[in-house]
Amino acid sequence: VPRDSDHVHAAPALPAALRGAGRRVTRQRREIWDALVAEPDRHLSADEIAERVRRRLPLVNPSTVYRTLDVLVDEGLLLRTRLGADRAFYEPAREHPHHHLVCERCGRVDHVHEEALGDLAGRLDAAAGFALGGAELTFFGLCADCRDSEPGSRTTPGS
Ligand SMILES: [Zn+2]
Ligand SMILES: [Zn+2]
Ligand SMILES: [Zn+2]
């Protein structure tokens, strides 16, 4: 089974994407984008993004960063995934859906692709006559590392 880490996730360049939308490229948008692209496998919160932008643009008000994040999400350039009321993270939008696996112990966030879910759409159709749209799902549980560190939780073959 191919893992998501084997998968190439090219993010579009911000200037091209913004020009396509007829928008002006501001320094701040570029810094937000660069911060996200610099850590493609992290899922950054708005606070973490604001902190990174302010390292480069110390005069920027965090609330301006938050507003700009909202605009970039509305424009389809960024994806915001909400994890309950008080946690949300941002990443560059990709061309194909990703489901998120969130570790409730260490906060780590991983991706899995459609294949990992099997024929979910077919099962929902059969069970409820429901036509699944382009949903991206978020699952909560324990990541592999945290699971391994749980006493007696699972035995890894060969270790
Ligand atoms: Zn992918
Ligand atoms: Zn974990
Ligand atoms: Zn993600």
Side-chain angles (χ1 to χ4, degrees):
V1 177
R3 297 198 36 140
D4 195 73
S5 49
D6 302 329
H7 188 82
V8 178
H9 288 118
L14 176 61
L18 281 187
R19 253 180 250 123
R23 299 278 183 163
R24 206 163 63 88
V25 181
T26 66
R27 177 83 199 277
Q28 205 190 108
R29 287 174 181 228
R30 167 172 283 289
E31 293 295 347
I32 289 174
W33 186 261
D34 287 350
L36 288 164
V37 169
E39 296 174 272
D41 296 321
R42 288 287 313 278
H43 289 80
L44 298 175
S45 69
D47 287 346
E48 290 171 324
I49 294 165
E51 180 200 311
R52 281 157 177 74
V53 170
R54 279 161 59 82
R55 274 184 219 151
R56 312 248 314 165
L57 302 174
L59 298 180
V60 167
N61 191 314
S63 66
T64 312
V65 174
Y66 304 148
R67 266 202 310 278
T68 306
L69 284 171
D70 288 340
V71 172
L72 292 171
V73 169
D74 288 345
E75 289 176 354
L77 293 167
L78 295 188
L79 181 70
R80 177 201 293 121
T81 301
R82 291 193 184 282
L83 304 177
D86 60 346
R87 196 177 166 209
F89 55 73
Y90 296 81
E91 65 195 298
R94 321 247 196 228
E95 284 159 12
H96 53 275
H98 285 91
H99 305 297
H100 285 103
L101 307 178
V102 179
C103 180
E104 292 176 297
R105 180 166 303 165
C106 70
R108 176 190 169 124
V109 181
D110 282 319
H111 289 139
V112 286
H113 287 136
E114 288 296 302
E115 308 83 75
L117 302 186
D119 185 19
L120 182 62
R123 283 163 185 266
L124 290 175
D125 186 11
F130 186 79
L132 185 66
E136 299 197 353
L137 304 173
T138 303
F139 298 93
F140 297 90
L142 286 180
C143 74
D145 288 346
C146 289
R147 221 181 148 189
D148 282 342
S149 67
E150 275 224 319
S153 62
R154 115 178 140 168
T155 47
T156 310
S159 70

